[in-house]
Amino acid sequence: MKAINTMSLTFDSLEVNESFARSAAAGFFTQLDPTVEELCDIRTAVSEAVTNAIVHGYRRGAGKVRLTARIYPGRKITVAVRDSGCGIADIEKAMEPLYTTDPEGERSGLGFSVMQSFMDAVRVSSAPGKGTTVTMQRTLSPLPERGEAE
Ligand SMILES: Nc1ncnc2c1ncn2[C@@H]1O[C@H](COP(=O)(O)OP(=O)(O)O)[C@@H](O)[C@H]1O
Ligand SMILES: [Mg+2]
């Protein structure tokens, strides 16, 4: 399916850019008039993916993170977060709840679980030494089906 609108941005892998990235994604999707909850979920999922790129992909070192947000017909959205960092050798293991390679830090090993629970689908493609792309997808609730309060 072809996207009807696309936004892409590249930023330095600095932890200060995490809030910028999630706000930028949320701002882009505002045109679909999502619910407050939907926007909050998307922000949280983007935050986890971007933090992973910075903290794990580049091990807090220098690099570029690319965020691409897409809108498809039927209120389907995707967000892809790509780094050119260390990559993931065993994706299945990395996505297991509570699995973390950074136990000393404040990481909980629940980043992928959070992404999966807040989005409809999460796809990871990665190559050791080359980098990682996490693509998350969600279909927003249809506008007319909302409560009268809106
Ligand atoms: N972009 C990435 N590059 C390399 N490794 C990653 C990346 N994202 C996640 N990982 C690996 O997957 C593990 C699990 O990620 P996550 O569920 O977010 O937990 P946490 O970030 O708390 O460790 C990380 O500890 C790391 O080993
Ligand atoms: Mg994480």
Side-chain angles (χ1 to χ4, degrees):
M1 205 189 288
K2 204 168 150 355
I4 15 181
N5 196 359
T6 300
M7 179 278 284
S8 188
L9 52 93
T10 305
F11 52 92
D12 286 342
S13 66
L14 299 169
E15 286 180 75
V16 288
N17 284 333
E18 176 267 315
S19 71
F20 158 70
R22 81 176 120 104
S23 301
F28 179 68
F29 293 127
T30 301
Q31 65 191 279
L32 292 171
D33 195 16
T35 64
V36 172
E37 283 90 346
E38 284 169 337
L39 218 43
C40 186
D41 290 356
I42 294 162
R43 246 195 233 107
T44 305
V46 169
S47 164
E48 291 294 339
V50 169
T51 301
N52 279 355
I54 295 167
V55 168
H56 302 302
Y58 294 114
R59 299 189 170 118
R60 297 184 171 88
K64 298 282 184 196
V65 180
R66 186 172 182 83
L67 182 149
T68 304
R70 293 190 171 91
I71 296 172
Y72 293 89
R75 297 176 64 72
K76 183 184 139 179
I77 61 152
T78 63
V79 182
V81 176
R82 189 178 84 196
D83 67 66
S84 307
C86 66
I88 303 173
D90 187 340
I91 295 171
E92 213 174 305
K93 182 143 198 78
M95 291 180 83
E96 276 173 18
L98 301 176
Y99 177 84
T100 181
T101 50
D102 188 23
E104 278 111 74
E106 73 278 33
R107 315 277 89 223
S108 61
L110 290 171
F112 281 122
S113 305
V114 166
M115 290 180 236
Q116 283 170 320
S117 63
F118 287 137
M119 301 295 274
D120 295 337
V122 178
R123 217 179 55 235
V124 180
S125 74
S126 188
K130 291 212 169 123
T132 302
T133 303
V134 175
T135 308
M136 304 175 280
Q137 181 213 298
R138 179 155 171 175
T139 300
L140 301 180
S141 58
L143 287 171
E145 277 176 31
R146 291 203 198 145
E148 276 164 31
E150 297 204 349

